[in-house]
């Protein structure tokens, strides 16, 4: 079993709600295992946006990637108003020095329809 996958579920509790068959098939290279500071910022942002927030390495994903291997290809992203996007930007400014960006997902978790993934 992937040691990083286990540690991420310990630090980011909402990942425990992602089904194991999806979770353990993900590409974990894009995720950032948050230290205490980054995790505190992440948790406050979750409360502020009433959404689940994932920590990513500030590098993006390959455009030719198989989206089924990425969290954003399996979970619905939270639609944010302009005001909430500003909140996200302010929180991300706190963690950019760590090379981190955030992904914001619906709370409770909603899965992307499989037909959308195969496009």
């Amino acid at each position: 079993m992937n040691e990083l996958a286990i540690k991420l579920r310990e630090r980011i509790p909402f990942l425990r709600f992602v089904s194991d068959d999806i979770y353990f098939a993900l590409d974990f290279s894009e995720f950032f295992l948050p230290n205490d500071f980054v995790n505190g910022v992440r948790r406050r942002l979750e409360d502020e946006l009433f959404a689940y927030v994932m920590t990513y390495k500030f590098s993006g994903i390959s455009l030719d990637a198989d989206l089924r291997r990425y969290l954003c290809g399996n979970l619905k992203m939270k639609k944010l108003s302009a005001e909430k996007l500003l909140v996200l930007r302010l929180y991300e400014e706190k963690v950019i020095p760590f090379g981190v960006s955030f992904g914001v997902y619906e709370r409770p978790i909603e899965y992307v329809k499989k037909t959308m993934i195969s496009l």
Side-chain angles (χ1 to χ4, degrees):
M1 196 161 294
N2 185 323
E3 186 176 330
L4 177 58
I6 302 302
K7 287 181 180 180
L8 282 164
R9 275 189 165 172
E10 290 171 0
R11 301 286 293 164
I12 304 174
F14 89 86
L15 294 174
R16 298 175 199 153
F17 302 130
V18 178
S19 65
D20 285 351
D21 60 322
I22 290 174
Y23 184 71
F24 289 105
L26 294 174
D27 177 353
F28 290 91
S29 66
E30 69 173 345
F31 299 137
F32 178 88
L33 182 62
N35 59 30
D36 289 341
F37 176 79
V38 171
N39 208 30
V41 173
R42 184 196 64 75
R43 286 192 314 263
R44 287 190 298 279
L45 183 58
E46 281 187 333
D47 291 342
E48 181 88 20
L49 299 178
F50 192 73
Y52 290 129
V53 176
M54 185 61 194
T55 52
Y56 289 91
K57 295 175 185 171
F58 193 75
S59 61
I61 65 170
S62 170
L63 294 178
D64 61 350
D66 179 357
L67 286 180
R68 292 171 294 193
R69 301 227 33 235
Y70 293 89
L71 204 56
C72 63
N74 287 282
L75 303 184
K76 285 189 180 179
M77 303 291 291
K78 175 93 172 185
K79 290 183 180 14
L80 300 175
S81 66
E83 179 183 320
K84 296 297 183 181
L85 281 170
L86 179 58
V87 170
L88 173 60
R89 181 176 297 141
L90 292 172
Y91 276 80
E92 281 189 325
E93 285 178 5
K94 297 175 183 184
V95 298
I96 283 176
F98 296 92
V100 174
S101 65
F102 293 125
V104 182
Y105 297 94
E106 288 289 345
R107 180 173 164 186
I109 286 175
E110 293 182 39
Y111 290 98
V112 172
K113 292 180 181 159
K114 296 299 180 189
T115 55
M116 292 177 69
I117 296 172
S118 61
L119 294 177

